[in-house]
Amino acid sequence: MISRFSYEEYRGSNNGESSHPGHESTASRESSISASSQLSTNRIGLARPLSAAMISSNDRFTSSGTSDLAKGNGLDSTEQIFIVKNPTVATEPYSQNEKTIFSTGLLVLSPTSITSPDATLIATTQFGPYIGPSTQDLIATPWYTYYGILEKGLGYPNGTSNLAAFQSLELRSDRPRNARITATVSAFFPRLDCEVADVHYNLTNNVSANAPGPALGIVLDSASCTTFNSKGLCDPKMQDCPSQAFIYDMYTLDGMFSNDDCQIASDDAYIFFVIGEVRYQQNASSGSLPSQVSIANISGLVCKPSYEITAAQLVLNPALAGTLDGASISRVGSSPSTMQPGFTNSNLTSVWYETLSAVDALYNNDTDVDEALFHFMADANNHSGIEALLDPSVQSAAATAVFTAVMAQSAREYLLAPANTTLEGQVSYNENRLHVRGLSVWLIVAGLVLLICAAIVVLLHKPHDVVPRNPDSIAAMSTILASSDGIRNSLQSTGHLPDDALQQHLSSSSYQTELSPSRVSFMIERQKASNWPLPPSRLSKMMQTSIFSPTRNIKDHRVQSGSVPSDASESRRWRPFTVGLPFVLVTLALPIVTIVILEIIQQYSNKHNGLVNTPNALNSAEVLSRYLPAAFMMTVSIMFNSVDFTVMTFAPYSALAKGNSPARRSIMSNSLGKLPVLGLIEAIIVRHWTVFFSTTAAVVGRFLTIIVSGLYIFNVTPGSSATSIQQVDQFNLSWTNSVNNDSNAGTMYALSKDFNLSYTKFTYDELALPIVQLSEQSEAAQDVLQVQLPATRATLNCTVVPSQGITVSTSNLGSGGQANVTIQAPLPANCLLGGPGGNSPSITFNNNFQMSLSRTALIESYGGIVLDLHVAPSFGDSLGFQSYGDGAGSSEADNPPGCPSLGFIFGYFVLGDDSNINATALVCSQLAEEVQTETHFLLPSLDLDPSNPPIPDESTVKYLTNQTDALPYRIQAAFDSEVTAYNGTSAFQPGSPTALDPFFQSLLYGQEYIDPTSLLGSSNANRLINETNHIYRRYMAQAISSNMRQILSSADRTTVDAILINPNKSRLAQDETSKIVLQVLLAMMFVCGAAAYLLTDTKGVLPHSPTSIAGVASLLAGSELVDRHLVPKGSEWMSDKELKREGIFKGKLFGLGWWEGVEGKGGRRFGIGIGKAERRM
């Protein structure tokens, strides 16, 4: 835009004298000039002279060119005056670009810890009255649970820890996986306060008639209580005694046994612990008792149990649910405590004692529950061994640990009742949140300060009242040139000159704006150098200095100042490098290359869950991911803006070069300086499609830096790195004595299957996994190890017994009924060893099912059982041989390889209806298979990741033995003893049929109920096989893990490649949505830019730049467009709208090129004229 310069400034600087002799001085005139209606509204001052360099400068469309015409300061800087500025790259001010780039990193998504302090939680349990059976009928559930936790690494059940039982919380499904939930809940804290007792003992020959043999009388004496008990010993005379043995004793006393030596309140009790080391001298013939039995060491405790229910802070980690780290509980300050009405410390002690009494064979070599208790204590003391418990302090800590853990499980069983109450708590989790980056803030502030300072300078020093109208269009310049005789005559026939020749031609004069004496016309007039208002000393110095080097700046246009070069110069064509092929190719290639690179980066980002790991300090990552992409996109946008500027500059001249172009499309068309939307509308109206496409590309380019700000994001995603592990063991499928010892596999199965505890370590569902260890220990506590492992899985190959092989006979027993089911099943060809003689092709087994009254009119029941099958009698004759069934201590030998070893019967029986048989029998062989399994371990514990369970690849299954070599495992006794003992009842669900053995109870009434009718009949035989196989596999996973592991030597261990995953690692990733948007925008820019370039006519259009005053004026000088018959006086005061309204240029068509004849005024001229030129440049 052309700026203004005030009349008063001119008067002060020029002393009121006219700069043109013969012209009326305008210094004394009023600055408010009337020229028709325009003169009354435009305040235009007069100007000091300006050099030719400024009049030919390409700054015509900025404020500097015309304001310098007014100020006459063109010679103040030789660089500013004489260097011609070509319109190459149109850019925004530096500070604005800087702000755009830095603003892309102002708001950044980064992982943030969020805490919701007022979250609403649902408590699904609450403490209520004691809901268990009488203490005499208590089952060993708490002890079995604690055994699984202590020995097999199971997680604590929901609502318990090693210290307390507490209300369970229901977690909303929308909680993030990494949520950490904190709430104040009611908690049951058991407590055992122990005193070290003084132990006094004496040996006696007989305890009582019922307990012959030596005994040890033990007195425990403490400050709180003194008590006596005796313990039977091994008799060296009658028994084979070990040289060293331990004696164990635990007993309780309540208020009923209160006496002077041990005063116990009615609602209190004591627990006493004694452990001693006994030495035996085996001598049955002679010697006194002391010489045969001696006490090497003995210690004891007097402990008082108690509990409190109080407020506690619960911290849950759902991501680790089912592991030891899934929950933690702690007392809240000095919160008041209570006791449950009707449940005293004495009741607490009874629960402890009676549940322990129900423990059966958890430690297989133990002979009584006291010994089992001290094994619990030794294992609770980091598996230290029994000897460590002889230390009273160690014994006290171990007793307390076992007591609190077991009684927490008891409280969960018997004191916590279902509820649905609301609690207030807080939820903490990590999520991506928007943050304001300090670096970007300060950089933007610095840029804004610079812009404010620049704006203030502009406001203080901007010129005033320089031109009467916007001079940007060709028509505007023609109206000014029509009244400017001096410069018009000077520029006559110079339209074909290049920039350097044109500048040389004008270099002998200076120029200024003036008002005519009649104050009607505004003009630009020429002055001689002698009239320049500069000090003589400076003027002489400037005029004596040669500014241009003829060989460098004038090149082939070495002409005398003021003379017009010949037409030989017409071959020189002006074409800025921004529309040159190299620049355009680079500009158009950038979007395509960027699209391809973005796609390549996206594929890499998707494949690797991001691009790179980001460090804790994100400054460098911020620079790389925010500022550099924004700077690159800004560069792309600037290059398209440059093309757009050049296209808009050429648009009217290209239209003129084609000839016969109306004013609206040519001399009155100007898109420069307009809002892009208005420019696009005008381009459509006047059909400047090149401008439309180039402006569209430039406008789209402005959105690049906005979209690119979201291109790279910081995600909390699993990061991975390669590592290796060692497989520590393998499985040996040989399992001797499976009928009598399964290492509590049945118990572990029941804990996980029917009570929803976690699986034992290195097992999951149906799979037994090898033990592994890291070759290099991970430093991150929350890393996850991903590895492909060969899991071992047992499976059944079952044959459905034909219906003719099933016989059912029912009988009435008075209170119920009995269904006797006999099965005769064929044996495979490689196992014709059935019957007492071991030579029968079939095997027979049966079972009597006790039928309950489940309907008023009929005695009926479901029945189901698993039986171990036997072939080939183990005795020399058939005496005592039975082809099915096993119990504890069974002497039957295992089946030979290849023979089926399990039989299953399931049916629905109705008393008196023996013909409609509704039963299915299966004869099954046991096999083992290996399947490659993708497994995720939590580090450093190597617990399975509960959120990412093992996934077997069924396509990799292979049998570990020939399918004809069936395995002879015997599982019936384990289910009959361990599962039944664990649950304390023959059914998992009240009212369920009692004719189901523990195997089928577990199948039907486990965590997920199965309708028994869906398993009946031949049509459902396959489902029965599948469900049976699933229960079998789950049990066998525990059996394989507990009984078949074979530790490998260091030399035999195999190394397996693995992946170390950090689930909370911050990764720089490329956002796919932003990438797609950028690709669409870049594609639009490419298409529009290519269209603009291909449609823009730049060849042979212009000989010099049209962006200077002289550049446009030289094309108009000598044309009818500057004649007064076409452009009346005062036209320079009119806007384009007023020119249209007055009809100036109406009906005329215009062209650009070489003119002869009338338009050329009798001479040959290159420029703009009316009609169509003879030819182009």
Side-chain angles (χ1 to χ4, degrees):
M1 299 296 292
I2 296 181
S3 304
R4 299 181 297 171
F5 180 72
S6 67
Y7 166 77
E8 288 80 10
E9 182 179 352
Y10 169 78
R11 182 174 59 184
S13 61
N14 211 23
N15 299 319
E17 298 179 358
S18 175
S19 58
H20 284 260
H23 283 207
E24 179 183 356
S25 173
T26 58
S28 60
R29 296 176 186 159
E30 295 179 355
S31 59
S32 179
I33 303 171
S34 297
S36 70
S37 61
Q38 289 78 20
L39 297 181
S40 63
T41 58
N42 291 275
R43 181 174 178 268
I44 306 299
L46 303 180
R48 288 180 276 180
L50 183 70
S51 71
M54 290 307 299
I55 202 171
S56 63
S57 167
N58 286 317
D59 283 334
R60 178 173 72 90
F61 297 106
T62 67
S63 61
S64 60
T66 49
S67 63
D68 285 339
L69 273 172
K71 293 181 179 179
N73 58 358
L75 289 177
D76 290 348
S77 170
T78 56
E79 182 179 359
Q80 181 186 18
I81 293 172
F82 291 102
I83 292 181
V84 177
K85 300 176 182 177
N86 291 322
T88 55
V89 180
T91 65
E92 301 177 45
Y94 169 74
S95 293
Q96 185 171 344
N97 288 339
E98 173 194 78
K99 287 189 302 174
T100 303
I101 294 172
F102 294 142
S103 65
T104 60
L106 180 62
L107 298 176
V108 180
L109 275 175
S110 61
T112 308
S113 178
I114 304 299
T115 298
S116 177
D118 53 355
T120 300
L121 306 173
I122 302 299
T124 57
T125 57
Q126 65 182 8
F127 288 99
Y130 176 75
I131 56 176
S134 64
T135 54
Q136 290 80 12
D137 298 327
L138 290 174
I139 59 176
T141 301
W143 289 94
Y144 278 80
T145 302
Y146 184 55
Y147 176 85
I149 296 168
L150 191 64
E151 301 294 336
K152 304 297 183 178
L154 304 186
Y156 283 91
N158 188 20
T160 63
S161 73
N162 63 322
L163 298 176
F166 46 85
Q167 291 177 281
S168 299
L169 300 181
E170 183 180 87
L171 307 181
R172 283 170 37 187
S173 59
D174 60 345
R175 297 293 185 200
R177 178 181 177 270
N178 60 9
R180 187 172 179 265
I181 300 171
T182 304
T184 300
V185 298
S186 295
F188 172 95
F189 287 96
R191 181 174 177 176
L192 190 67
D193 296 312
C194 294
E195 299 175 288
V196 177
D198 293 330
V199 181
H200 308 282
Y201 60 89
N202 65 297
L203 289 167
T204 60
N205 285 320
N206 292 291
V207 178
S208 66
N210 295 328
L216 183 66
I218 305 171
V219 177
L220 297 180
D221 186 12
S222 71
S224 301
C225 181
T226 299
T227 183
F228 170 82
N229 198 21
S230 62
K231 189 73 175 178
L233 302 176
C234 180
D235 186 355
K237 294 182 180 180
M238 305 296 296
Q239 298 171 298
D240 186 12
C241 300
S243 59
Q244 179 190 27
F246 291 94
I247 59 170
Y248 315 93
D249 197 14
M250 186 281 299
Y251 58 97
T252 64
L253 293 177
D254 58 22
M256 295 178 58
F257 298 94
S258 179
N259 53 49
D260 293 339
D261 294 328
C262 192
Q263 295 183 1
I264 307 173
S266 60
D267 57 354
D268 283 334
Y270 280 99
I271 302 176
F272 305 95
F273 297 86
V274 177
I275 182 173
E277 181 183 0
V278 184
R279 302 290 175 83
Y280 293 99
Q281 295 292 329
Q282 192 71 40
N283 188 347
S285 59
S286 63
S288 62
L289 185 59
S291 65
Q292 296 172 333
V293 180
S294 61
I295 306 301
N297 199 351
I298 192 169
S299 62
L301 304 173
V302 176
C303 302
K304 185 176 182 180
S306 62
Y307 77 94
E308 62 177 346
I309 297 177
T310 185
Q313 185 180 68
L314 173 64
V315 179
L316 292 178
N317 189 344
L320 300 177
T323 69
L324 299 178
D325 299 322
S328 64
I329 189 82
S330 59
R331 291 178 174 85
V332 177
S334 57
S335 300
S337 61
T338 61
M339 295 183 66
Q340 196 64 36
F343 192 73
T344 66
N345 291 333
S346 179
N347 299 132
L348 179 74
T349 308
S350 295
V351 171
W352 156 269
Y353 186 82
E354 296 299 335
T355 53
L356 176 61
S357 301
V359 172
D360 181 25
L362 275 177
Y363 293 93
N364 291 295
N365 295 324
D366 297 346
T367 58
D368 58 32
V369 294
D370 290 342
E371 187 172 351
L373 169 62
F374 278 87
H375 276 289
F376 269 110
M377 292 167 59
D379 290 344
N381 187 45
N382 296 320
H383 298 270
S384 61
I386 294 295
E387 292 86 349
L389 299 179
L390 292 169
D391 183 337
S393 62
V394 174
Q395 184 183 166
S396 176
T400 301
V402 173
F403 180 84
T404 55
V406 172
M407 296 318 297
Q409 299 304 319
S410 298
R412 172 180 175 271
E413 289 285 329
Y414 307 126
L415 293 180
L416 279 172
N420 187 11
T421 58
T422 301
L423 297 177
E424 293 296 326
Q426 69 178 30
V427 179
S428 301
Y429 54 92
N430 287 331
E431 74 172 10
N432 285 337
R433 301 277 288 186
L434 276 177
H435 289 263
V436 177
R437 288 293 182 196
L439 177 62
S440 295
V441 169
W442 289 113
L443 291 173
I444 290 174
V445 168
L448 288 173
V449 169
L450 290 175
L451 285 178
I452 292 171
C453 293
I456 292 173
V457 172
V458 170
L459 289 174
L460 293 177
H461 297 281
K462 68 176 182 178
H464 300 275
D465 301 335
V466 173
V467 289
R469 60 151 294 161
N470 184 345
D472 285 352
S473 67
I474 300 172
M477 183 56 65
S478 73
T479 61
I480 296 174
L481 197 62
S483 61
S484 304
D485 296 337
I487 190 172
R488 186 175 67 248
N489 294 331
S490 175
L491 293 173
Q492 186 76 34
S493 299
T494 61
H496 64 286
L497 296 181
D499 287 307
D500 46 11
L502 184 61
Q503 182 172 333
Q504 183 69 13
H505 172 71
L506 298 172
S507 63
S508 62
S509 301
S510 64
Y511 301 87
Q512 70 177 31
T513 58
E514 290 183 353
L515 295 175
S516 66
S518 60
R519 297 184 290 181
V520 173
S521 299
F522 172 85
M523 63 191 73
I524 302 173
E525 286 301 325
R526 176 180 177 183
Q527 278 190 319
K528 292 296 182 182
S530 59
N531 294 326
W532 291 357
L534 292 176
S537 60
R538 183 177 177 189
L539 176 63
S540 61
K541 180 179 180 181
M542 297 298 298
M543 294 302 295
Q544 292 169 8
T545 302
S546 175
I547 303 301
F548 286 94
S549 169
T551 60
R552 178 179 179 182
N553 293 311
I554 304 302
K555 297 184 181 178
D556 296 330
H557 303 285
R558 301 186 184 104
V559 295
Q560 294 295 325
S561 176
S563 66
V564 179
S566 67
D567 293 350
S569 301
E570 66 184 65
S571 61
R572 176 80 174 271
R573 298 171 182 175
W574 179 79
R575 196 176 189 217
F577 85 92
T578 51
V579 290
L581 186 61
F583 185 88
V584 171
L585 286 178
V586 173
T587 302
L588 295 179
L590 279 177
I592 300 301
V593 172
T594 304
I595 289 172
V596 173
I597 292 175
L598 286 173
E599 189 60 35
I600 293 172
I601 294 175
Q602 188 66 53
Q603 296 301 322
Y604 182 89
S605 180
N606 293 343
K607 183 178 180 180
H608 297 87
N609 290 324
L611 302 175
V612 294
N613 296 331
T614 55
N616 293 331
L618 297 177
N619 290 336
S620 59
E622 179 180 330
V623 171
L624 294 174
S625 64
R626 303 292 179 188
Y627 302 149
L628 292 185
F632 177 79
M633 293 300 175
M634 179 65 73
T635 301
V636 175
S637 178
I638 287 173
M639 296 184 74
F640 274 87
N641 282 337
S642 303
V643 174
D644 180 44
F645 180 85
T646 306
V647 168
M648 287 192 292
T649 301
F650 264 97
Y653 298 98
S654 296
L656 288 169
K658 294 177 182 177
N660 295 326
S661 178
R664 191 173 188 181
R665 293 195 70 235
S666 55
I667 65 174
M668 299 186 74
S669 174
N670 174 45
S671 299
L672 291 170
K674 292 184 178 179
L675 290 175
V677 175
L678 298 179
L680 286 172
I681 294 174
E682 181 177 338
I684 294 173
I685 292 174
V686 301
R687 301 191 304 279
H688 277 168
W689 301 117
T690 57
V691 175
F692 173 80
F693 286 120
S694 67
T695 303
T696 299
V699 170
V700 170
R702 299 189 178 209
F703 291 93
L704 293 179
T705 53
I706 299 175
I707 305 302
V708 81
S709 65
L711 180 61
Y712 294 105
I713 57 178
F714 297 101
N715 283 338
V716 179
T717 56
S720 62
S721 59
T723 187
S724 62
I725 62 167
Q726 284 190 332
Q727 183 174 322
V728 175
D729 67 359
Q730 63 184 12
F731 294 106
N732 182 352
L733 299 180
S734 175
W735 182 16
T736 59
N737 199 27
S738 60
V739 67
N740 293 317
N741 182 14
D742 74 341
S743 302
N744 297 308
T747 300
M748 296 305 103
Y749 157 80
L751 287 170
S752 62
K753 172 65 169 65
D754 302 311
F755 289 87
N756 204 29
L757 269 69
S758 59
Y759 298 98
T760 59
K761 206 156 191 176
F762 296 105
T763 67
Y764 178 80
D765 197 27
E766 303 174 346
L767 305 173
L769 301 164
I771 296 174
V772 297
Q773 66 181 21
L774 277 175
S775 300
E776 297 180 1
Q777 188 62 38
S778 170
E779 296 180 359
Q782 295 186 349
D783 279 0
V784 174
L785 180 70
Q786 177 183 323
V787 62
Q788 195 87 359
L789 291 176
T792 299
R793 179 173 64 189
T795 191
L796 294 175
N797 182 13
C798 295
T799 301
V800 179
V801 177
S803 58
Q804 58 269 27
I806 303 175
T807 304
V808 177
S809 174
T810 61
S811 58
N812 194 337
L813 301 179
S815 60
Q818 176 178 284
N820 181 273
V821 181
T822 301
I823 308 297
Q824 186 173 12
L827 291 170
N830 61 332
C831 182
L832 303 179
L833 303 173
N839 55 5
S840 174
S842 63
I843 187 171
T844 301
F845 55 97
N846 74 348
N847 188 68
N848 288 322
F849 293 98
Q850 301 302 314
M851 301 166 62
S852 63
L853 186 63
S854 60
R855 295 182 184 175
T856 57
L858 297 173
I859 297 178
E860 54 193 347
S861 179
Y862 289 101
I865 193 171
V866 57
L867 296 170
D868 291 336
L869 301 182
H870 308 296
V871 297
S874 58
F875 302 104
D877 54 39
S878 62
L879 182 63
F881 171 73
Q882 192 171 8
S883 61
Y884 62 93
D886 267 326
S890 174
S891 59
E892 294 286 348
D894 292 340
N895 277 0
C899 291
S901 53
L902 293 177
F904 298 89
I905 304 173
F906 180 75
Y908 182 72
F909 312 108
V910 179
L911 184 64
D913 187 0
D914 298 346
S915 58
N916 294 323
I917 298 175
N918 195 3
T920 304
L922 307 174
V923 175
C924 302
S925 298
Q926 302 179 70
L927 303 172
E929 57 190 19
E930 182 180 276
V931 57
Q932 295 298 319
T933 303
E934 183 178 291
T935 312
H936 294 79
F937 294 101
L938 298 176
L939 297 179
S941 64
L942 284 177
D943 292 327
L944 290 175
D945 184 356
S947 65
N948 202 350
I951 301 175
D953 182 358
E954 298 297 339
S955 65
T956 64
V957 171
K958 66 176 182 179
Y959 287 101
L960 297 177
T961 57
N962 293 329
Q963 295 192 49
T964 57
D965 295 336
L967 300 168
Y969 307 143
R970 298 156 73 174
I971 68 171
Q972 178 185 345
F975 272 90
D976 288 345
S977 60
E978 294 177 41
V979 177
T980 300
Y982 176 71
N983 293 286
T985 176
S986 58
F988 288 112
Q989 183 170 301
S992 62
T994 58
L996 297 172
D997 78 338
F999 184 96
F1000 278 93
Q1001 291 173 31
S1002 179
L1003 188 152
L1004 294 176
Y1005 304 112
Q1007 287 285 311
E1008 298 178 0
Y1009 171 76
I1010 296 178
D1011 185 357
T1013 59
S1014 66
L1015 304 179
L1016 289 174
S1018 58
S1019 61
N1020 293 319
N1022 286 335
R1023 183 176 183 186
L1024 177 63
I1025 292 174
N1026 292 336
E1027 297 296 342
T1028 300
N1029 198 20
H1030 177 60
I1031 298 299
Y1032 167 80
R1033 285 178 167 185
R1034 289 194 62 166
Y1035 165 77
M1036 284 302 300
Q1038 302 303 318
I1040 292 171
S1041 177
S1042 299
N1043 300 280
M1044 304 183 195
R1045 292 191 182 274
Q1046 181 178 348
I1047 302 299
L1048 299 172
S1049 64
S1050 299
D1052 294 332
R1053 295 178 181 179
T1054 58
T1055 300
V1056 181
D1057 292 333
I1059 299 174
L1060 200 60
I1061 301 173
N1062 185 342
N1064 297 319
K1065 182 167 288 186
S1066 178
R1067 296 269 295 173
L1068 179 67
Q1070 182 168 282
D1071 180 68
E1072 189 157 12
T1073 301
S1074 298
K1075 184 269 302 183
I1076 293 174
V1077 174
L1078 282 174
Q1079 287 177 319
V1080 171
L1081 295 181
L1082 289 166
M1084 291 176 61
M1085 293 176 67
F1086 170 79
V1087 172
C1088 291
Y1093 174 72
L1094 294 175
L1095 295 176
T1096 298
D1097 184 7
T1098 62
K1099 296 180 180 180
V1101 175
L1102 290 168
H1104 55 252
S1105 170
T1107 58
S1108 67
I1109 296 173
V1112 180
S1114 66
L1115 297 175
L1116 292 169
S1119 170
E1120 287 186 67
L1121 273 75
V1122 295
D1123 284 351
R1124 280 304 180 190
H1125 75 274
L1126 181 63
V1127 182
K1129 289 185 178 182
S1131 299
E1132 65 270 23
W1133 301 95
M1134 299 180 186
S1135 66
D1136 285 345
K1137 289 184 179 179
E1138 291 169 329
L1139 290 174
K1140 293 176 184 177
R1141 187 172 63 242
E1142 295 295 328
I1144 301 174
F1145 306 121
K1146 183 178 181 180
K1148 300 290 190 298
L1149 299 176
F1150 305 93
L1152 172 64
W1154 287 100
W1155 301 90
E1156 301 283 355
V1158 177
E1159 175 56 32
K1161 302 294 183 183
R1164 192 165 183 262
R1165 181 183 70 85
F1166 181 87
I1168 300 171
I1170 297 176
K1172 185 174 182 180
E1174 297 287 336
R1175 63 185 180 89
R1176 298 172 62 160
M1177 186 70 188

